[in-house]
């Protein structure tokens, strides 16, 4: 289950999960806070990337402010399991799609493929979905837009880390 | 946001340099000094264009498990049920959507057992259910960075 992660790792990763300090040498600043050298913080930070603890190290943008106004969750019914890989890849290939997954279906929930589609407006997202339907031949699909946002945050893994040893 | 800002964003969205002088590296790749690169990033953080600068940890990479959940709740109960759900620290996104399944949330926990326990708990506390558990079975794409179009002559923008 849990990977080998020490208490020091948890302390460093807790810092990397916040926004980097706005200093010219952010890794030195983090090290000073934790009582570690800049070199050690840099090496550990790189190693977490190599171990795939994080997917990306960089800037996360507020998309609305950067000009992406609408997004919708496309849901696609592909009852034939053998076709899901090919059609999933086809849906994912569109530049407007940021995420594409296969998920389980249930009685009353006949959808198998999920795509997040982005655009300037909800209409543009719907138009993109229509093109995707035509390209893939998937006729049973829908696009869900968020009506209200109750919560949107990043997971604070290191505040809730079960147990660690050093 | 000018062309240099766009270049910087395109660069640091995919990879902020992990080294002693990250802003010197950003500057040298975008044609500005270390001081200017730092000043531009700082003002984009302050103006809110950049929400966060740091690591995007991966639940799977860390050995945790994550899932997407959907529920159907009467319209006049949505706020009450949503607030029960939002209280869990492992719930990172919680939205009302325009569908019969009108409440959608993501949940991250150390293991599968913890996920199932919480979903049953949400059903009990809210009085509604089932909470459909829709974990990812296969990943076709995750792209969390959007490249900005730069004017001709820029090397990014793909």
């Amino acid at each position: 289950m849990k990977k080998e992660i020490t208490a020091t790792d948890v302390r460093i990763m807790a810092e990397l999960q916040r926004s980097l300090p706005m200093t010219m040498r952010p890794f030195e600043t983090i090290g000073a806070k934790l009582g570690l050298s800049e070199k050690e913080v840099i090496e550990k930070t790189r190693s977490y990337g190599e171990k795939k603890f994080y997917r990306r190290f960089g800037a996360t943008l507020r998309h609305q402010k950067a000009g992406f106004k609408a997004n919708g969750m496309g849901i696609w019914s592909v009852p034939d399991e053998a076709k899901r890989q090919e059609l999933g890849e086809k849906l994912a290939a569109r530049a407007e799609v940021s995420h594409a997954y296969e998920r389980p279906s249930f009685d009353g929930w006949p959808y198998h493929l999920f795509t997040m589609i982005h655009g300037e407006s909800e209409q543009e997202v719907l138009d993109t979905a229509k093109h995707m339907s035509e390209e893939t031949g998937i006729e049973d699909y829908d696009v869900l837009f968020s009506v209200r946002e109750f919560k949107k945050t990043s997971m604070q893994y290191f505040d809730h880390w079960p147990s660690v040893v050093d | 946001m000018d062309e240099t800002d766009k270049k910087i964003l395109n660069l640091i969205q995919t990879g902020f340099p992990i080294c002693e002088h990250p802003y010197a590296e950003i500057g040298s790749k975008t044609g500005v000094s270390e001081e200017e690169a730092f000043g531009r990033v700082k003002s984009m953080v302050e103006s809110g264009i950049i929400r966060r600068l740091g690591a995007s940890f991966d639940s799977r990479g860390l050995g945790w498990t994550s899932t997407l959940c959907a529920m159907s709740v009467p319209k006049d109960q949505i706020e009450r049920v949503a607030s029960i759900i939002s209280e869990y620290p492992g719930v990172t996104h919680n939205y009302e959507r325009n569908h019969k399944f009108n409440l959608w949330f993501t949940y991250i926990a150390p293991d599968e057992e913890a996920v199932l326990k919480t979903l049953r708990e949400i059903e009990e506390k809210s009085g509604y259910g089932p909470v459909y558990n829709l974990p990812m079975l296969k990943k076709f794409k995750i792209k969390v960075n959007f490249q900005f179009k730069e004017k001709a002559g820029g090397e990014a923008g793909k």
Side-chain angles (χ1 to χ4, degrees):
Chain A
M1 191 191 70
K2 296 281 97 49
K3 304 289 173 70
E4 280 187 21
I5 292 169
T6 66
T8 303
D9 291 329
V10 171
R11 288 169 66 225
I12 296 173
M13 289 195 282
E15 294 302 319
L16 302 178
Q17 186 164 32
R18 292 184 239 288
S19 209
L20 285 182
M22 278 317 302
T23 58
M24 292 284 260
R25 298 177 75 162
F27 301 101
E28 185 188 47
T29 309
I30 290 173
K33 183 175 172 186
L34 301 180
L36 301 166
S37 70
E38 179 182 32
K39 189 164 169 277
E40 193 172 354
V41 174
I42 288 170
E43 278 169 8
K44 292 271 191 194
T45 302
R46 287 181 180 161
S47 80
Y48 304 144
E50 285 154 15
K51 291 176 188 162
K52 311 268 185 231
F53 289 175
Y54 60 78
R55 204 181 288 126
R56 196 171 60 89
F57 192 89
T60 303
L61 307 190
R62 230 181 271 281
H63 282 140
Q64 271 78 3
K65 286 204 175 180
F68 296 94
K69 296 183 180 75
N71 65 80
M73 185 172 73
I75 50 174
W76 309 83
S77 181
V78 184
D80 185 351
E81 205 181 334
K83 287 188 178 162
R84 283 180 209 152
Q85 179 70 31
E86 185 202 332
L87 294 178
E89 285 172 13
K90 228 174 200 174
L91 293 172
R94 300 243 1 165
E96 299 93 335
V97 170
S98 61
H99 298 66
Y101 301 119
E102 182 183 348
R103 299 185 184 277
S105 61
F106 293 99
D107 263 352
W109 182 257
Y111 302 101
H112 311 88
L113 303 179
F114 286 61
T115 56
M116 286 310 302
I117 309 168
H118 300 257
E120 288 294 310
S121 64
E122 292 197 355
Q123 190 54 52
E124 199 178 288
V125 172
L126 289 170
D127 291 344
T128 301
K130 191 161 178 287
H131 288 304
M132 290 161 71
S133 163
E134 287 160 3
E135 279 168 10
T136 56
I138 306 173
E139 287 173 0
D140 187 3
Y141 77 97
D142 204 344
V143 183
L144 278 59
F145 292 99
S146 66
V147 178
R148 253 187 299 182
E149 179 183 294
F150 294 110
K151 189 174 185 184
K152 186 171 192 273
T153 180
S154 320
M155 179 62 189
Q156 301 303 309
Y157 294 99
F158 310 102
D159 298 347
H160 304 281
W161 201 263
S163 61
V164 277
V165 283
D166 232 342
Chain B
M1 205 164 42
D2 65 10
E3 289 303 303
T4 304
D5 283 340
K6 287 182 192 173
K7 268 189 201 172
I8 291 176
L9 284 180
N10 284 343
L11 178 70
I12 66 174
Q13 275 194 96
T14 34
F16 184 92
I18 303 168
C19 60
E20 291 176 9
H21 296 279
Y23 296 100
E25 197 172 315
I26 294 166
S28 81
K29 286 184 174 162
T30 54
V32 297
S33 68
E34 179 179 16
E35 288 72 20
E36 187 177 344
F38 176 74
R40 283 173 177 269
V41 171
K42 189 165 186 274
S43 60
M44 287 192 280
V45 168
E46 285 166 357
S47 72
I49 291 173
I50 297 174
R51 184 152 60 98
R52 204 171 63 85
L53 259 184
S56 300
F57 285 96
D58 180 31
S59 51
R60 276 163 200 259
L62 289 167
W64 288 44
T65 180
S66 69
T67 189
L68 175 70
C69 304
M71 291 179 82
S72 184
V73 175
K75 217 160 171 47
D76 63 350
Q77 293 291 311
I78 286 189
E79 283 180 36
R80 185 181 70 84
V81 178
S83 71
I84 292 170
I85 292 168
S86 292
E87 269 180 37
Y88 290 89
V91 170
T92 55
H93 297 68
N94 187 9
Y95 296 116
E96 178 185 353
R97 292 191 182 274
N98 58 336
H99 192 271
K100 181 166 81 88
F101 289 92
N102 51 3
L103 204 48
W104 290 78
F105 61 96
T106 55
Y107 185 62
I108 300 173
D111 53 46
E112 180 72 20
E113 201 188 325
V115 170
L116 297 178
K117 185 171 163 273
T118 298
L119 300 193
R120 297 296 83 81
E121 219 173 86
I122 288 171
E123 289 169 354
E124 278 168 28
K125 284 191 198 168
S126 70
Y128 294 98
V131 176
Y132 285 90
N133 183 19
L134 303 168
M136 175 185 99
L137 301 177
K138 203 173 280 173
K139 174 172 72 189
F140 299 107
K141 186 182 203 175
I142 296 187
K143 183 185 77 171
V144 283
N145 57 318
F146 288 88
Q147 295 289 299
F148 293 97
K149 290 190 186 83
E150 295 169 20
K151 288 210 182 90
E155 50 183 280
K158 282 171 283 225

